[in-house]
Amino acid sequence: MKNYSQDIMDYAALHPYFSLQDLYAHLDGEADISRQTISWYLTKLTESGQLRRIGHGKYAKADKLQFAIVPTEEQQSLNEILKHHWPFANFCIYDGSVISPLQHLLAANSITYIETEREATSAVFNHLRDVGRTVYLRPTRELIYNYIDLSQPAIFVKPLITESPVQECNGVLVPTLEKLLVDLQQDDDFFYLQEAEGVNIFRNALSLYTINESRLLRYASRRGIKKEIEAIIKSINSND
């Protein structure tokens, strides 16, 4: 009797994530298996913990790591200070070193990123500058390329896109992996991680971590680059 469970897990090992349709196309030619039967296997493998649902009708191997950003004590303190001054604002805070596990060509990044409501960015920037912090407000690609050393500690203040996929850790909002992947492709201050390196980052992320595709594409749509993200994923899947 054919071991479809093993066939599915073998397929999952070679594909970062996949749908029932993807799997059925792969198994096409097996006359004795239907979509309904494949769906049953997927349910059982998910219930047993061997697969993980990562979006509507999407699956991945469950042995992938969960990407997590843990704020430092300094970032927690910074969050408390900002919340004291702007109690009703949201602050997403993280440092550039969290990108390192995703990179192919390691580039030092010691920047602390603070994202908040657009109307609060100028006030936050002015406050941090007035207390002596090295801080930049929505720095452009040209400014970074010509004048900013990313290996030196500084703060970038940026607008927080509404409905951004964030999560709380130790009282601080931090980006999910899905948000980070989209922002790396879109934001000017990440220009050095785009194009070929951006594809490498995506490939590493898909290989190492569980990604919620629905969340990823929903946020990409809000950023206006859904088609670009879909093209990157398709290219990676077709080459792997």
Side-chain angles (χ1 to χ4, degrees), residues 96 107-113 144 148-154 156 192:
N109 186 325
S110 298
I111 303 300
T112 295
Y113 296 86
I144 296 170
I148 300 177
D149 182 354
L150 295 177
S151 69
Q152 298 302 308
F156 287 1
Y192 66 101

Side-chain angles (χ1 to χ4, degrees), residues 86-142:
W86 296 276
F88 300 110
N90 291 309
F91 297 96
C92 179
I93 304 175
Y94 65 101
D95 65 80
S97 65
V98 304
I99 306 167
S100 297
L102 304 174
Q103 292 177 244
H104 177 65
L105 302 173
L106 190 59
N109 186 325
S110 298
I111 303 300
T112 295
Y113 296 86
I114 299 176
E115 299 182 21
T116 187
E117 281 80 3
R118 186 174 299 275
E119 57 271 20
T121 54
S122 293
V124 171
F125 165 75
N126 289 328
H127 173 76
L128 293 172
R129 182 188 59 183
D130 291 345
V131 298
R133 304 297 292 265
T134 302
V135 58
Y136 301 91
L137 178 61
R138 298 190 297 272
T140 63
R141 172 176 181 156
E142 291 72 25

Side-chain angles (χ1 to χ4, degrees), residues 160-213:
L160 179 63
I161 305 299
T162 57
E163 298 183 29
S164 289
V166 297
Q167 56 193 8
E168 186 175 308
C169 182
N170 296 337
V172 181
L173 289 181
V174 296
T176 63
L177 177 57
E178 293 82 8
K179 170 175 166 54
L180 198 59
L181 287 172
V182 173
D183 290 344
L184 291 177
Q185 290 291 323
Q186 179 70 348
D187 291 355
D188 277 354
D189 47 272
F190 291 127
F191 71 92
Y192 66 101
L193 296 175
Q194 295 167 3
E195 298 181 357
E197 180 63 358
V199 174
N200 287 327
I201 286 174
F202 247 96
R203 180 177 288 107
N204 291 337
L206 291 170
S207 174
L208 294 171
Y209 301 103
T210 299
I211 295 175
N212 187 314
E213 184 187 7

Side-chain angles (χ1 to χ4, degrees), residues 63-106:
D63 59 358
K64 290 186 178 181
L65 302 173
Q66 295 298 305
F67 186 85
I69 296 176
V70 180
T72 64
E73 291 184 5
E74 181 181 355
Q75 289 159 8
Q76 293 179 57
S77 176
L78 182 58
N79 181 66
E80 291 176 3
I81 293 170
L82 294 174
K83 293 296 286 186
H84 173 74
H85 287 279
W86 296 276
F88 300 110
N90 291 309
F91 297 96
C92 179
I93 304 175
Y94 65 101
D95 65 80
S97 65
V98 304
I99 306 167
S100 297
L102 304 174
Q103 292 177 244
H104 177 65
L105 302 173
L106 190 59

